[in-house]
Structures are given as structure tokens and as C-alpha cells.
Amino acid sequence: MTARKYLLLFALAVPGSVFALTQPDISAIGDFRGYTGNWIDSTDAKTSRNGNFNMRFEELEVVLSGYLNPFAKAQIVISTPGDGLEIEEAYATIFKGLPLKTEVRIGQFLVDFGKLNLSHAHAYPFVDRPVVHRVLFGLDGFKDQGVSMNCVLPTRFYSKLSFNVLKGSVVGEDEAVEDPLDGRYTHAPILTSRLNGFWSLSTKADMDIGVSGFIGRYKGRGAYGTGDAELGYRNLYARMAALDGKCKIRPNDYSSLTLQGELILNSRDLFTDVFEKRSNWGAFAFVDYRFRKRYNIGFAVDRAPGIYDNGDGDYEQNIPVERSNTATAAFDDKNATKSFALFTGYSLLEETTLFRLTARWTSFNISDSSRLVDGSVESKRGEFTLSAQMIFSLGPHKPHEF
């Protein structure tokens, strides 16, 4: 073999070797909170945390990221929410070499349904995830395992289309059948998609608008119905659609104004005594003003379907399942939970050390108690929550997307 061929083989092999031997970036993000409130359960009884000054280490998030080769990279996010470890995200992304600048992501990841869900909670300007996300997606947001593909469209402005095929939360047939209201557990892959466009309105203002869709299938059983002749199984569907928007205005290098919101339409099939379809909606919006580069202040409004009881881990209320309406809120088309929050924050230097304070008032509109776990409840008093948060970031941390 000639010297020229050796040089050619070396040139081809070195880039891949350099990427493969590069040590991944490792970072850690801690979230510590102090909080208090006047929380009650569905019987108007005070919860164990009511009126106390409570503290807890909310989460430690360890992130490993790096290149696998010149065409692919990977990211692993491990969190410790309380006891034990949890894989929050673990995926590989092929980002180069495909047509239309297509990217393929494989593994477990936050799903791009809407815009806010793509960010980890510590990146929000406020402390708590919107109630509508907690009701429809859970405390950790919408994350799942599967394959995600996105491509940049050949338009005059920047636009991107994504398509996801996701595993869904597959459980045993009996578990899903015994309680049809647990219909968020799917027995077939979930399909989601998002189309968004980005525009520069001026040299100091940008806007992003997106639309998302979701469909998943599960099974339920009625006392009588179609499907299995003996047991009455029937395929049921969950569908969602979302419209999201974000506008960011930067008057100068030291201040910015962000306006962001999302509307989610939700439809769920039920099959108890009869087949029925329930439709509801939720939305949130917030305004965040950042000034002197390290300070921010703003307010947020939120509306979620059903009655959210803080019962499954949120602020450790530990309301018993038999008295918590959270599990069935996604199927509630009559009642609603609303909240209004004021928030402020301060960073010592960029995002390595953050302090946040949020005051939130939550009210409950009960117009049909037959949708609740306790049909005798006709009203529920509003709740006030005051939460302080400290976030520290150790190691390299990627800047957040627009």
C-alpha cells in the first residue's frame, strides 16, 4: 500500500477516533426549596404540611453529554427526586448526514409537544410546572421512550416539523380494565407531531409559533359493550392538540421581555356502563421581564381541567388516593383548577446560582361533583402557596433554546 493511501486512511479514521475518545461533559444541577401554604384535601381538612415552613431537596440532576462520532451525540440525565435514582432522559441523536437537515433521536426524552415541555423545570422563570402540564402530563412533564425525527422545512422563514413514535405506558390488561379512568395508560404506540415557525420581527424581537398533535390507544371494559364478546373490551383513544407561542423582546443587552403561552385541547374516551367521549381544555400564559441581566420579575396564569389536589408528590401533600381527584382530572369536562402566580428571581452570575420566589393562588371551580371521587363535595376553598427555590449548576451547562 502506498504512503498516499496510508495518509488517506489515517485522515478518515482520526476524526471518528477523536470524537469517540473525547470525555463527555458532566454537570450537576441542584434544586433546594422552602415552602408553605394553606393546603386542604377534598374534605376541607388541613394536610400535614399546612402552615408549616417546609424544606426539602427537590432534585439533583446529573447530566452527561458528548459526541459519539462526527455524526451523532448522546445525552443522559439522571435525577434523584427523593429516594433512589431515576433516568429522566437518555438518548442518542444523529444530527448530520441526513437530507433536509433531518435529526433522529432514539431513547427516552422530553417530547416536543408544545414548547415549554422541551425545557427542564429548572429552566423555567418560575418555580412550579404549570398545573395543566401536571394534570395532562404528570409531575415530570411529557417524557417517553421512542424515536423522534425532525427536519427543517424549505420555507422562506425557519420552520421545523417533528414526528414521534413513542412507547406509551404499557400495563397489564387487568390493571387497565379494572379502572377505565386510568385510561392514560396506552396499549399501543403514541404518535405525536409538532410544526413550528420562527420569525425575526426586528433586530430586537423574535417570535416562535407551533402546533402539536397527539393520539394514543388503550383499552377499557364496560358492563356491556362491543369488542370481546365475553368481557366487553373496547379500544379507547386519547387525543390532544396544542397551540403554543413565544415572543422575546430585547431592548438592550441587559434586559428582555418574554411573553409565552400554550392552549391544549384534550379528548378522552371512556367505556364504563356506556361508551362516551369527554373533551376539555387547559391553558397557561406568562410574562417575564428580565432586567440588569441578573434579575427577573413576572406573573403567570394557568387553567387546568378537573380538580388538582397536589396529591401525588407535589409539595408532599400525600393526600390518599381515595380522596385525590388528580388521577381523574384529565377526564373531567365539568370542573376546573385555576391559578395566578407572581414570581421573581436573582442570579449571582449567569445561571450557576439562582434564587427564585413564587407566590401562587389556586382556586377550584366545581360545577358538577359527580365527576369527583367524592360526589358529595360541592366546593373547595382556594389555596395559597409560597415557595422559595435555590438552583445551583456545577460544570458545563448548555444555553437554553429560544
Side-chain angles (χ1 to χ4, degrees):
M1 184 178 288
T2 65
R4 183 177 296 179
K5 290 182 179 179
Y6 279 116
L7 288 174
L8 179 60
L9 288 175
F10 180 77
L12 292 173
V14 165
S17 300
V18 170
F19 277 98
L21 295 175
T22 301
Q23 296 297 319
D25 291 331
I26 302 176
S27 62
I29 303 167
D31 181 349
F32 181 80
R33 298 186 186 184
Y35 54 95
T36 188
N38 65 334
W39 307 297
I40 57 176
D41 63 20
S42 58
T43 65
D44 276 352
K46 293 182 179 181
T47 63
S48 60
R49 303 282 177 174
N50 184 307
N52 298 330
F53 179 67
N54 309 286
M55 291 183 291
R56 71 172 177 178
F57 197 93
E58 180 76 14
E59 184 180 49
L60 176 65
E61 192 176 271
V62 179
V63 182
L64 296 85
S65 61
Y67 288 92
L68 301 173
N69 54 58
F71 301 93
K73 55 187 177 182
Q75 176 162 302
I76 299 173
V77 181
I78 300 173
S79 63
T80 59
D83 298 330
L85 295 175
E86 177 182 320
I87 298 177
E88 192 162 333
E89 292 190 281
Y91 59 85
T93 304
I94 301 172
F95 65 93
K96 189 183 293 185
L98 300 175
L100 294 176
K101 298 183 179 179
T102 300
E103 290 187 352
V104 177
R105 179 175 294 182
I106 303 173
Q108 178 171 301
F109 45 83
L110 290 170
V111 181
D112 56 344
F113 185 90
K115 187 168 184 66
L116 191 73
N117 189 69
L118 284 170
S119 301
H120 290 259
H122 63 77
Y124 301 163
F126 35 80
V127 175
D128 298 307
R129 190 182 299 274
V131 181
V132 61
H133 275 206
R134 283 179 273 172
V135 166
L136 297 178
F137 303 147
L139 290 176
D140 296 328
F142 186 4
K143 65 180 181 183
D144 208 335
Q145 301 172 18
V147 179
S148 173
M149 295 170 285
N150 68 76
C151 64
V152 178
L153 301 179
T155 55
R156 294 182 180 179
F157 55 91
Y158 179 85
S159 60
K160 186 168 69 173
L161 176 65
S162 71
F163 183 74
N164 307 300
V165 181
L166 307 172
K167 173 185 175 182
S169 302
V170 179
V171 297
E173 293 286 336
D174 292 339
E175 185 177 347
V177 167
E178 289 299 322
D179 186 359
L181 287 179
D182 277 341
R184 284 174 288 183
Y185 304 125
T186 56
H187 290 265
I190 296 172
L191 304 179
T192 77
S193 183
R194 181 171 184 259
L195 171 66
N196 74 293
F198 177 88
W199 296 268
S200 291
L201 304 179
S202 68
T203 56
K204 297 181 178 180
D206 301 303
M207 180 174 66
D208 185 283
I209 296 178
V211 292
S212 306
F214 162 104
I215 185 168
R217 178 170 61 85
Y218 54 99
K219 287 187 177 182
R221 184 183 71 179
Y224 52 91
T226 60
D228 186 281
E230 181 179 355
L231 298 177
Y233 288 115
R234 179 164 180 163
N235 286 330
L236 306 176
Y237 292 89
R239 310 170 189 84
M240 285 191 289
L243 173 65
D244 62 86
K246 180 178 181 179
C247 181
K248 190 170 186 178
I249 304 169
R250 298 175 299 277
N252 51 58
D253 293 338
Y254 298 94
S255 63
S256 65
L257 179 67
T258 301
L259 298 90
Q260 185 170 345
E262 196 167 306
L263 169 67
I264 302 178
L265 305 177
N266 175 50
S267 174
R268 309 281 169 132
D269 293 345
L270 279 178
F271 190 38
T272 51
D273 291 337
V274 294
F275 173 79
E276 61 177 309
K277 181 181 295 184
R278 294 183 183 176
S279 299
N280 52 36
W281 64 278
F284 71 86
F286 67 86
V287 176
D288 177 38
Y289 176 59
R290 192 170 299 273
F291 58 99
R292 295 178 63 182
K293 213 165 190 177
R294 294 187 293 172
Y295 300 83
N296 78 291
I297 188 170
F299 66 89
V301 293
D302 192 2
R303 195 266 189 195
I307 302 301
Y308 182 77
D309 285 320
N310 283 343
D312 48 359
D314 192 14
Y315 289 107
E316 298 180 329
Q317 292 309 294
N318 301 320
I319 297 175
V321 175
E322 62 270 14
R323 295 210 305 268
S324 174
N325 296 284
T326 301
T328 59
F331 300 86
D332 193 332
D333 56 350
K334 302 295 183 181
N335 309 304
T337 301
K338 300 178 182 178
S339 72
F340 179 85
L342 296 174
F343 57 86
T344 186
Y346 167 71
S347 61
L348 290 179
L349 182 62
E350 295 180 344
E351 296 183 351
T352 57
T353 312
L354 281 169
F355 297 91
R356 294 194 180 114
L357 182 68
T358 297
R360 185 178 76 243
W361 172 256
T362 304
S363 61
F364 307 93
N365 293 351
I366 299 178
S367 58
D368 186 350
S369 58
S370 67
R371 296 287 192 255
L372 305 181
V373 293
D374 184 353
S376 65
V377 175
E378 296 182 355
S379 64
K380 182 179 179 181
R381 289 180 292 160
E383 297 176 346
F384 177 76
T385 302
L386 181 65
S387 52
Q389 180 186 49
M390 177 190 177
I391 293 178
F392 61 87
S393 178
L394 179 67
H397 189 57
K398 295 180 180 179
H400 300 120
E401 295 184 0
F402 173 84

